[in-house]
Each structure stands twice: as C-alpha cells, then as structure tokens.
Amino acid sequence: MINRRSFLIHLACVLLVVGGGALLWLPFHTQMELDDWAVTLRERGTPARAVVADQVTESGGNRSPSSSTMYFSYEVDGRTHAQEVACFEVCRAAGAEVSIWVNPADPGDFVTDFGQLSGHRGRVQGVLGVVGLAALGVGVVLTWSRISRRRADRPGRDAPARRDRPRRDRPRRVEPATGGRRYVGRGKRKRNVRP
C-alpha cells in the first residue's frame, strides 16, 4: 500500500515533468504560429514601404544582454503609422527603406521583407519556455532518483538484495614455488614467503 506522502511526492514529480514539458513546448509552438502568420501576411497583406526612423539599443546591465529595436514609419491608406520591430537577425540603420506587407484589418501588424513581424512577439512564451526547461529538468531528476531509490529498497523476486548477503572471503591457496619457496596470495605481484 502506498502511503499518502509518497503518493503526493510522486504526483508532484509527474506534474513537474508534464508541466515543464508543456511550457518548454509553448515557445516552439508560438514560433511556428508566428512563422505561419508571416507567410500569410506576405501572401494577403497590403504591400508598403517603411522607413527606419530610429534604432535604439538598450543595455541589459548585468542580468541580460543588450537589445536593439528599430522604429518604423510607414503610410497605409493615406495615414502614417509608426511601429517598432525587434532586432533579432537583421537590424537596419536609421534612414533605411524596408518593404513590408501590412495586415488590412490592423495597420500596426506587418511583416518585413527579411521575415520579422512587427512588435515584440513571443517574449512571454520564451520566458515560460525557460521556466519549463528548469521544471522539466528538476522533475526528471526527482523522478529518476525516486525510481532508483525504489529499486534499491526492493529486492528482486528470485534473489535477496545484494547488500543483505553476507560476504564470504575466499581461502587463500598456498602453492609451492620454484627454489623451495612458496607464495601466498592472488595479487598482481607474487609475494615470496619463506617456510
């Protein structure tokens, strides 16, 4: 019979593994959806030209690396819009022109010619992914240690536990050696012992 405390610990380990795996999967799922949305915008969006109005790099300090952001200015249907784009792989200098495809239903939503969507999307999911990786690691280690401990505590059906068996020392054989001497032992070096 499993006691309540053991069951709760086992349940917590399983929840850590499952929850950590789900949180780790979330950023990958979000990135796939964002990639699909970028393709959809390129196919159905309104083409426009945007100008990089400014580029700002913020220092992350000791805790995180610095991050750069481009600020775009563009015109759709006679109205001027401004939106920011995070610099991940490409970061254009101020004054550069970029081709974009704008969502007709939301002028603040666009994709650039280098595949970057407007705004800072997926940050929260990225943080949750890191938390999920940590939870998954802790859950796997705890589950593995509980399984190992359970195996060590429970002997097999056919044989008693190894640690419970008494150790039997083998008697040493004494064999004659050349020259009338004899040696004792089974070590790497023979020890000559005079009778």
Side-chain angles (χ1 to χ4, degrees):
M1 183 172 143
I2 300 174
N3 64 14
R4 182 182 169 95
R5 182 171 181 255
S6 177
F7 173 75
L8 290 176
I9 292 172
H10 183 69
L11 181 65
C13 291
V14 170
L15 288 177
L16 271 175
V17 170
V18 172
L23 287 176
L24 183 60
W25 172 76
L26 182 64
F28 295 105
H29 175 70
T30 302
Q31 188 58 48
M32 288 187 293
E33 285 186 342
L34 291 176
D35 290 343
D36 290 345
W37 180 240
V39 170
T40 302
L41 278 178
R42 284 190 122 172
E43 292 172 352
R44 301 180 187 168
T46 306
R49 298 290 293 172
V51 176
V52 180
D54 196 9
Q55 178 189 352
V56 176
T57 301
E58 295 178 5
S59 173
N62 295 335
R63 296 185 176 183
S64 62
S66 59
S67 63
S68 297
T69 303
M70 297 176 285
Y71 293 91
F72 282 39
S73 176
Y74 55 98
E75 191 173 306
V76 176
D77 296 330
R79 295 185 67 188
T80 303
H81 300 277
Q83 187 61 263
E84 60 185 35
V85 175
C87 293
F88 288 121
E89 296 176 8
V90 178
C91 205
R92 302 280 168 90
E97 283 196 7
V98 177
S99 297
I100 61 171
W101 290 265
V102 182
N103 183 355
D106 180 10
D109 184 19
F110 64 84
V111 64
T112 64
D113 60 355
F114 49 88
Q116 185 66 41
L117 290 165
S118 59
H120 295 273
R121 304 179 197 208
R123 277 188 178 177
V124 173
Q125 289 87 349
V127 171
L128 289 175
V130 172
V131 171
L133 179 63
L136 181 65
V138 169
V140 166
V141 168
L142 289 176
T143 303
W144 183 257
S145 67
R146 288 190 54 77
I147 290 170
S148 298
R149 188 179 308 145
R150 185 173 282 171
R151 282 185 183 169
D153 290 344
R154 194 175 356 163
R157 292 181 183 174
D158 299 334
R162 276 196 170 173
R163 66 174 187 225
D164 295 339
R165 286 188 208 160
R167 185 174 175 195
R168 287 187 268 162
D169 291 330
R170 294 183 184 169
R172 293 185 174 183
R173 291 187 298 173
V174 178
E175 297 179 16
T178 58
R181 298 185 208 165
R182 60 184 183 162
Y183 70 92
V184 178
R186 306 177 106 196
K188 290 182 181 178
R189 296 184 181 164
K190 296 178 183 178
R191 290 179 280 164
N192 290 330
V193 178
R194 294 180 185 240

